[in-house]
Amino acid sequence: MTSDLLAPLDLAFWNIESERHPMHLGALGVFSARSPTAGAHAADLLAARAAAVPGLRMRIRDVWQPLAFGAATREPVPGFDPLDHVRLHAPAGDFQALAGRLMERPLERGRPPWEAHVLPGADGESFAVLFKFHHALADGLRALTLAAAVLDPMDLPEPRPRPAEPPRGLLPDVRGLPGALRGALSDVGRALDIGASLAVSTLDATLAARSTAALTAEPSGTRRTAGVVVDLDDVHRVRKAVGGTVNDVLIAVVAGALRRWLDERGDGSEGVAPRALIPVSKRRPRTAHPQGNRLSGYLVRLPVGDPDPLRRLETVRAAMDRNKDAGPNRGAGAVALLADHVPALGHRLAGPLVGQAARLWFDILVTSVPLPGLGLKLGGNPVTAVFPYAPLARGQSLAVAVSTYRGAVHYGLVADAAAVPDLHRLAAALTDEVETLITACDP
């Protein structure tokens, strides 16, 4: 496997990272153990299988060549040793407590930026694996692909054959050149449009409904995690009663849980409407170069201050509909697409400033991480829950990631441990809010 340049957004993630703001994704998979030694066996399997996965051998190396000054590449590391990345821990009674401490540690930048931590359960009946992947190495879908490569093989349906592409001539088709020029001009116009929307959004942040200090506290560099499991049938029950999408309901649940949590801790929710960034994947075509992350996003003001649960859901639904009508290429939520218009050296020099500007753009991240519908196993031990974790941007204290797996919704919460020492109360509020919505929907 040869080296390849990082895509612009990957390079941005690589450069905005700091000691207190590591830019890695995480996922905590909880397994039902078939024997007390299942955790140790799982660690051996992960190390053995990782050696055969080319994507896990890739490190990120800075480039200072004239034509790529300030860029970075993914390249295979010589002497790759999976045992540097797979760690077996002592038995733990609380997987989430240990996961929080492990999530706060940055990945080592001199070697392939990923880790797998195996956490045997103190009861001998379960174990967990915490996967960490740097966002510059993999987005949510790519991280899933890499993790799946070291789990037990899945019985996947046969892919449909792709139609053969017509042969290409040796010379480019000149008829495409005017269109390419129009596309380039359109890209410039889109960049200006996104920039203007971002400016308006930043101004709106100072004029519109307030956020809360609990979500924008000064960072301590510590992390706390929590996980919540919700029955997907309950979510569908609400969706069918009021309309919208499953995602609308899940975002509204976050808004209602924040309201409960703020009121219980004495901060107060009146007038609070934090800006939530809802990432939207815009994956590059297989023929694009460089490959890598390409994200847009929707900005939604969470109606935390509204006391009516159904009205909160309707507000979220209307905001998401407006975003979808505008499309992921427009608006302040699409600011990540601007990474494509910044030269490599610009990412290198402006990375720290961009990281600090995140708090001017949004207050909380609410992201969805895809999971396969088929059951996942490791060493024959089935996965019973999967909690995804998103990185915390500078100036933000909480990030929410959501995955649906085998009839259940899994919320993964990551917080700054100093700013949000009571993350367990917010987790409980998520469960309570689902019950509140169900009750409100009943005739």
Side-chain angles (χ1 to χ4, degrees):
M1 181 178 289
T2 59
S3 63
D4 63 309
L5 285 174
L6 262 63
L9 188 57
D10 295 330
L11 185 61
F13 284 129
W14 190 245
N15 285 305
I16 66 176
E17 181 174 64
S18 67
E19 188 71 20
R20 292 189 173 187
H21 296 89
M23 287 288 106
H24 54 251
L25 311 169
L28 181 71
V30 181
F31 297 78
S32 177
R34 300 196 302 178
S35 74
T37 60
H41 179 53
D44 292 339
L45 281 176
L46 291 173
R49 292 172 178 175
V53 181
L56 296 179
R57 294 173 168 267
M58 305 298 280
R59 69 179 177 185
I60 296 175
R61 184 178 64 85
D62 295 334
V63 176
W64 300 106
Q65 298 172 359
L67 296 180
F69 196 75
T73 65
R74 296 186 192 89
E75 63 178 23
V77 63
F80 171 70
D81 186 353
L83 295 179
D84 290 336
H85 302 266
V86 179
R87 287 88 184 266
L88 176 63
H89 294 256
D94 186 344
F95 295 142
Q96 292 287 351
L98 182 53
R101 294 193 293 272
L102 292 171
M103 282 296 291
E104 71 187 41
R105 302 178 188 174
L107 294 165
E108 293 191 31
R109 293 170 71 92
R111 61 189 186 192
W114 68 274
E115 293 174 352
H117 297 268
V118 181
L119 319 175
D123 58 5
E125 298 178 354
S126 63
F127 67 91
V129 179
L130 174 67
F131 289 101
K132 293 168 57 177
F133 294 97
H134 199 287
H135 216 319
L137 178 70
D139 61 2
L141 186 56
R142 174 65 175 160
L144 172 63
T145 302
L146 292 173
V150 293
L151 298 178
D152 292 355
M154 292 184 291
D155 295 326
L156 299 175
E158 289 293 328
R160 294 182 179 179
R162 300 178 64 187
E165 295 185 3
R168 298 182 179 180
L170 296 178
L171 296 177
D173 186 348
V174 296
R175 292 173 298 177
L177 295 180
L181 179 59
R182 287 195 301 270
L185 294 175
S186 176
D187 285 346
V188 173
R190 186 178 300 117
L192 293 174
D193 182 45
I194 295 171
S197 297
L198 179 61
V200 171
S201 173
T202 304
L203 178 62
D204 172 68
T206 64
L207 300 178
R210 70 183 181 93
S211 180
T212 174
L215 300 181
T216 56
E218 288 300 315
S220 68
T222 58
R223 293 292 182 270
R224 189 181 301 273
T225 63
V228 178
V229 180
V230 173
D231 193 322
L232 183 58
D233 286 342
D234 289 340
V235 177
H236 279 299
R237 184 176 171 184
V238 174
R239 178 191 62 79
K240 291 176 182 177
V242 300
T245 68
V246 165
N247 203 39
D248 295 340
V249 178
L250 297 179
I251 295 170
V253 167
V254 173
L258 287 172
R259 175 181 175 81
R260 290 172 178 271
W261 175 63
L262 290 173
D263 288 342
E264 287 176 2
R265 73 196 321 245
D267 290 351
S269 60
E270 183 179 357
V272 172
R275 297 158 299 166
L277 175 64
I278 317 295
V280 178
S281 177
K282 289 181 61 64
R283 300 193 66 80
R284 298 174 183 275
R286 292 178 181 272
T287 56
H289 186 78
Q291 286 289 310
N293 287 319
R294 192 165 188 262
L295 294 173
S296 181
Y298 298 145
L299 277 181
V300 174
R301 281 219 174 252
L302 299 180
V304 172
D306 193 329
D308 187 298
L310 294 183
R311 201 162 54 218
R312 287 196 296 268
L313 176 51
E314 179 55 37
T315 299
V316 167
R317 177 185 173 185
M320 289 296 289
D321 286 345
R322 287 193 298 271
N323 275 296
K324 292 171 186 175
D325 288 343
N329 291 329
R330 295 177 59 85
V335 68
L337 295 177
L338 291 177
D340 287 349
H341 303 276
V342 177
L345 186 59
H347 284 295
R348 180 80 57 178
L349 297 176
L353 295 177
V354 172
Q356 295 178 22
R359 69 190 308 169
L360 300 176
W361 176 28
F362 65 98
D363 304 306
I364 182 174
L365 178 73
V366 183
T367 184
S368 177
V369 180
L371 287 177
L374 300 174
L376 301 172
K377 295 182 180 181
L378 178 56
N381 304 285
V383 171
T384 59
V386 183
F387 301 104
Y389 303 133
L392 282 183
R394 185 185 298 271
Q396 284 147 11
S397 305
L398 176 67
V400 180
V402 191
S403 286
T404 301
Y405 178 70
R406 297 181 71 80
V409 175
H410 295 78
Y411 283 95
L413 310 179
V414 176
D416 185 287
V420 188
D422 55 346
L423 187 62
H424 63 286
R425 296 172 64 181
L426 177 58
L430 286 167
T431 301
D432 293 340
E433 182 61 17
V434 173
E435 294 298 326
T436 296
L437 280 169
I438 292 174
T439 300
C441 291
D442 285 339

